[in-house]
Amino acid sequence: MSGLVVDAARCVGCRRCEKACATAGIVVEGRLARVTEGCVLCGACVEACPVGALHIEKGAAADAADLAAWQGVWVFCEQDAGAVLPVVFELVAKARELAAARGCAVTAVLGTGADDVALGAGGPADAACARLLAGGADAVLLCRDERLAQRDAEPYAAWLAELARERKPEIILCGATPFGRELAPGVAVRLQTGLTADCTVLEIDPATGLLQQTRPAFGGNLMATIACPAHRPQMATVRPGVFAGLVGAGGAGDADGLAAPVVEDLLARVSEVALDPRATSHVRVLERRLLAEGASIAEAPVLVVAGRGIGSKKNLALVRRLAELLGGEVGCTRPLVEMGWLAYRHQVGQTGVSVAPKLLVALGVSGAIQHLAGIGGAQTVIAVNEDPEAPIMAAATYAVQADCVAFAQELTTRLEG
Amino acid sequence: MHVVVCVKAVPSTTEVRMDTVTHTIVRDGRQAVINPFDTAALELALRIKDAAGEKGAPAEPVSVSVLSMGIPDTERLLRDALSRGADAAVLLSDRAFAGADTLATSYALACGLAQMPPADLVLCGKMAVDGDTAQIGPEIAGALGVPCVTDVRELAEVGAGRVRVWRGCEGGTELAEAPLPAVLTVAKEAADLRMPSIAGVRFGERARVRVLDAPAAGADPARCGLAGSPTQVVRSFVPQRTSVAVRVEGTVAEQAAQVADLIEGMTL
Ligand SMILES: Cc1cc2nc3c(=O)[nH]c(=O)nc-3n(C[C@H](O)[C@H](O)[C@H](O)COP(=O)(O)OP(=O)(O)OC[C@H]3O[C@@H](n4cnc5c(N)ncnc54)[C@H](O)[C@@H]3O)c2cc1C
């Protein structure tokens, strides 16, 4: 029997569960919670319970022999115009850790258009494979096919699912880029397996050997650890920059300086695989409009984020100047978009963009839960706010209690000098 | 042409507060709203319908249906969608659907779609504000075996067996074309949902919302809800703020000097 279980020894009858429930699925009677017919197993009460008296239990033990047939960690290697994306190397480094714990190999899975020259002829595919192998992959599965030339997720999903069925990896990791977020669900549904989006922690549970996938839930105020016990592969996506610290500076993945014989050796670990003739690409890209002004804030290494505390629109010039000096981009909170000060694509947060810069400077931002939801990936946060109690000050790495405009002016002057 | 919009009831996130003592989320579960991304999807669907009704438009009429999986109370939100211009509504509601992860949810929605007139376009919100996985649209497309275009910002053209949309891409937007049927996931900025008209409100009150339980939806119980969900929440916890923020003290000039030094020390 599976469902919501109340631990009577822990329950203190505080009624927080009752309040959290949207469906009258739990009631407190005589200082003890009782689950009713109305429960839809949404988990809201589990989150609300201050004493950990509630949990959702699931039956169904998996067939251990079946699961043991799935081995190895795969990393899907997304590339753009021939260059493998940085997030792939971050994932390969993480895959090495997981593979060490599982005693298995790391395989990089790379798809590319058919016009790429044959393997070993020194084309872009060679360079990509060599970099992946130098970056920590034990082997590369390479598919060169015209249908993979358009970045349409459908043939990629068909390809990866087929390959996974055949070769049975235990884990598949994929970057949570726009393309990866379209691809991974397509693979998961074809394999009828679980997928956890936007993980910030991935580790192997020493007791069960399962991949523990931790992701922020509910605006980042709650972390949920998710497992996929009875289905394979275990699939997770990870945002760019989250595991950036794992990749050694300049070392991992740097194959450019390698001697030709070394590259040749590396390329011996590449296997070419074919794409099923039935896989087709349906989505065609007809035209691209790149934004002239600034790059996407999602990928920016440095972000200066302006909140309502900057006071007036004219102070944006200062914010822009500071971002420029730091080699970064400008982000903002929602009210600034609503007031028309900045375009929506600058909005950071739950209903804007999730960002993962190395450095984020927040100027006059209060740090509302919906805003914090978008900055979980930032490595260092410097918050400047007049109010020492503003939530951003607790969430930051460095808290500067100051007038943000005066502070930005001072900092700009210093950086200019 | 038949356009189906998948909508989800989510807690109105304005209500989310942290309990400062227990560090748990205080949710007033009683107030549910349509996921804001789904309202943008609904508006896009209604605009397709409006355009087909205009003089000189190709004669193919467009009908818009809304589909949701949720508790019986979700009917209220579907009626709201009807009042704003949707023509029909289907609610998948059954205890068997409870506890579904994205795979089990997309399965149930695919079952629901199979009970409706064939859809030429399925629109979903790009993501839900509570779950934030952005997986449902691509999983439905995978389940149906049809193409998917995510993060749609603007509808350029639909008809003649295909759809053209502007979608987000690295560093900008791109015009993508897919044959119908197709699944689109819609960004919030794509459109703001219109207000209901008076006639619409009346229609919303009177119209029938088809409520399907799992058997009526033809859903295999083993693939629904908790039983059909490969993923499982092992635990949830309030994140430990590993570093309590370091306070940078002094006059503004001193603070700026310290921060400038900090930044200099980083490899950016
Ligand atoms: C469904 C939903 C989704 C949302 N999604 C998002 C989202 O994606 N992104 C987002 O940002 N918000 C989002 N919001 C809005 C969010 O709840 C907050 O309202 C918003 O983030 C607050 O923006 P702010 O910090 O700029 O403004 P405020 O909350 O007004 O904070 C201003 C801060 O500036 C400080 N300040 C004022 N003057 C100065 C000064 N001279 N020097 C230094 N500090 C000063 C104040 O102390 C205060 O802390 C969402 C809300 C809802 C309901």
Side-chain angles (χ1 to χ4, degrees):
Chain A
M1 178 54 196
S2 60
L4 178 63
V5 183
V6 182
D7 183 344
R10 289 192 174 182
C11 177
V12 294
C14 69
R15 296 191 182 265
R16 281 200 178 79
C17 50
E18 220 180 71
K19 281 207 208 85
C21 182
T23 64
I26 191 162
V27 293
V28 174
E29 289 164 348
R31 302 201 65 76
L32 181 66
R34 182 177 65 82
V35 182
T36 74
E37 269 297 286
C39 171
V40 297
L41 300 173
C42 72
C45 58
V46 179
E47 292 167 9
C49 179
V51 293
L54 301 172
H55 72 278
I56 291 176
E57 205 170 73
K58 191 166 161 169
D63 187 334
D66 270 3
L67 295 185
W70 298 76
Q71 284 177 10
V73 183
W74 284 12
V75 176
F76 171 71
C77 304
E78 182 180 350
Q79 51 170 334
D80 194 22
V84 176
L85 300 187
V87 64
V88 173
F89 295 98
E90 294 160 20
L91 291 181
V92 167
K94 173 52 77 175
R96 277 254 62 90
E97 285 180 21
L98 302 175
R102 292 299 289 151
C104 66
V106 173
T107 303
V109 188
L110 177 67
T112 175
D115 51 350
D116 201 348
V117 289
L119 198 66
D126 278 9
C129 291
R131 287 196 70 202
L132 289 165
L133 291 160
D138 296 303
V140 177
L141 291 172
L142 171 69
C143 180
R144 289 182 300 129
D145 192 293
E146 193 43 46
R147 288 163 289 172
L148 301 182
Q150 283 263 7
R151 288 182 7 122
D152 175 11
E154 197 184 346
Y156 273 93
W159 168 53
L160 276 179
E162 190 52 43
L163 205 59
R165 250 183 236 121
E166 203 180 288
R167 301 185 180 231
K168 300 195 181 337
E170 189 179 23
I171 294 170
I172 301 181
L173 306 181
C174 181
T177 59
F179 182 73
R181 297 184 105 201
E182 193 169 317
L183 168 67
V187 177
V189 74
R190 283 172 172 83
L191 295 172
Q192 290 290 300
T193 192
L195 168 65
T196 308
D198 301 336
C199 297
T200 54
V201 179
L202 290 174
E203 55 200 6
I204 301 291
D205 178 356
T208 59
L210 289 175
L211 180 64
Q212 304 273 314
Q213 309 157 87
T214 301
R215 75 184 300 264
F218 233 101
N221 271 286
L222 204 70
M223 302 297 286
T225 302
I226 290 164
C228 177
H231 295 73
R232 292 294 179 274
Q234 305 166 84
M235 293 187 62
T237 68
V238 178
R239 298 245 178 191
V242 170
F243 294 143
L246 297 175
V247 183
D254 192 354
D256 302 343
L258 295 181
V262 181
V263 171
E264 205 172 297
D265 253 15
L266 286 178
L267 292 185
R269 290 191 264 147
V270 179
S271 318
E272 289 215 52
V273 290
L275 178 58
D276 189 301
R278 284 163 303 180
T280 35
S281 172
H282 290 108
V283 180
R284 284 194 310 142
V285 173
L286 307 171
E287 192 185 332
R288 245 180 199 210
R289 277 189 207 149
L290 295 184
L291 296 165
E293 177 209 343
S296 149
I297 64 166
E299 313 282 320
V302 177
L303 266 185
V304 180
V305 177
R308 199 140 55 177
I310 66 162
S312 86
K313 188 175 177 182
K314 69 175 194 331
N315 288 329
L316 278 176
L318 180 60
V319 175
R320 286 207 181 88
R321 177 71 188 134
L322 185 56
E324 193 187 331
L325 286 168
L326 293 171
E329 302 292 330
V330 172
C332 68
T333 61
R334 192 171 81 166
L336 271 60
V337 175
E338 282 168 350
M339 292 185 290
W341 290 8
L342 280 166
Y344 170 79
R345 64 186 183 85
H346 293 279
Q347 182 184 318
V348 176
Q350 187 188 24
T351 51
V353 180
S354 289
V355 299
K358 285 189 175 147
L359 171 65
L360 187 152
V361 182
L363 300 174
V365 173
S366 62
I369 176 169
Q370 297 90 355
H371 183 80
L372 294 183
I375 66 167
Q379 279 174 32
T380 302
V381 175
I382 300 176
V384 188
N385 197 306
E386 280 177 340
D387 175 8
E389 301 299 319
I392 189 88
M393 300 291 258
T397 330
Y398 298 98
V400 182
Q401 187 190 344
D403 178 273
C404 62
V405 177
F407 175 87
Q409 249 144 11
E410 282 286 344
L411 185 59
T412 309
T413 312
R414 285 196 172 267
L415 295 173
E416 277 169 342
Chain B
M1 188 164 79
H2 185 211
V3 183
V4 179
V5 185
C6 298
V7 301
K8 181 185 187 187
V10 297
S12 56
T13 31
T14 35
E15 309 286 333
V16 177
R17 282 177 293 122
M18 289 297 287
D19 183 321
T20 47
V21 179
T22 62
H23 296 290
T24 51
I25 284 172
V26 185
R27 268 206 257 184
D28 181 358
R30 267 152 262 265
Q31 253 328 308
V33 296
I34 300 180
N35 174 37
F37 291 83
D38 303 347
T39 60
L42 176 57
E43 178 61 29
L44 276 197
L46 296 176
R47 288 183 189 172
I48 296 173
K49 181 175 145 180
D50 290 350
E54 275 165 19
K55 262 209 227 73
E60 193 189 3
V62 172
S63 71
V64 173
S65 303
V66 282
L67 170 65
S68 185
M69 180 183 89
I71 58 170
D73 183 54
T74 308
E75 185 177 326
R76 184 173 57 81
L77 300 180
L78 293 181
R79 290 196 181 282
D80 181 47
L82 291 167
S83 76
R84 293 174 200 251
D87 302 291
V90 174
L91 173 62
L92 300 162
S93 194
D94 191 320
R95 279 190 53 79
F97 295 133
D101 71 359
T102 63
L103 187 73
T105 303
S106 59
Y107 171 70
L109 291 172
C111 289
L113 285 165
Q115 301 302 319
M116 303 164 80
D120 300 285
L121 259 186
V122 178
L123 303 187
C124 301
K126 178 184 161 187
M127 61 184 220
V129 289
D130 58 344
D132 189 13
T133 68
Q135 281 167 204
I136 294 296
E139 288 194 339
I140 292 177
L144 302 177
V146 304
C148 180
V149 182
T150 54
D151 196 12
V152 169
R153 310 282 175 86
E154 191 188 324
L155 192 79
E157 213 182 302
V158 57
R162 61 174 166 71
V163 60
R164 284 185 175 181
V165 293
W166 286 97
R167 68 155 172 211
C169 70
E170 213 55 62
T173 54
E174 60 190 19
L175 183 64
E177 180 185 281
L180 300 180
V183 175
L184 307 181
T185 80
V186 180
K188 209 169 77 88
E189 74 210 75
D192 288 324
L193 182 57
R194 65 193 61 187
M195 297 306 288
S197 64
I198 299 201
V201 171
R202 277 201 211 104
F203 175 70
E205 280 164 2
R206 278 199 324 263
R208 191 169 81 96
V209 171
R210 250 175 97 197
V211 181
L212 302 178
D213 60 9
D220 173 0
R223 293 179 66 187
C224 292
L226 198 62
S229 298
T231 63
Q232 186 179 318
V233 178
V234 185
R235 66 189 185 117
S236 56
F237 55 98
V238 176
Q240 291 289 321
R241 304 268 175 225
T242 38
S243 57
V244 180
V246 176
R247 296 205 172 263
V248 179
E249 314 277 2
T251 65
V252 173
E254 287 162 3
Q255 287 171 318
Q258 291 175 60
V259 168
D261 287 348
L262 265 174
I263 293 173
E264 217 150 272
M266 292 180 186
T267 44
L268 295 175

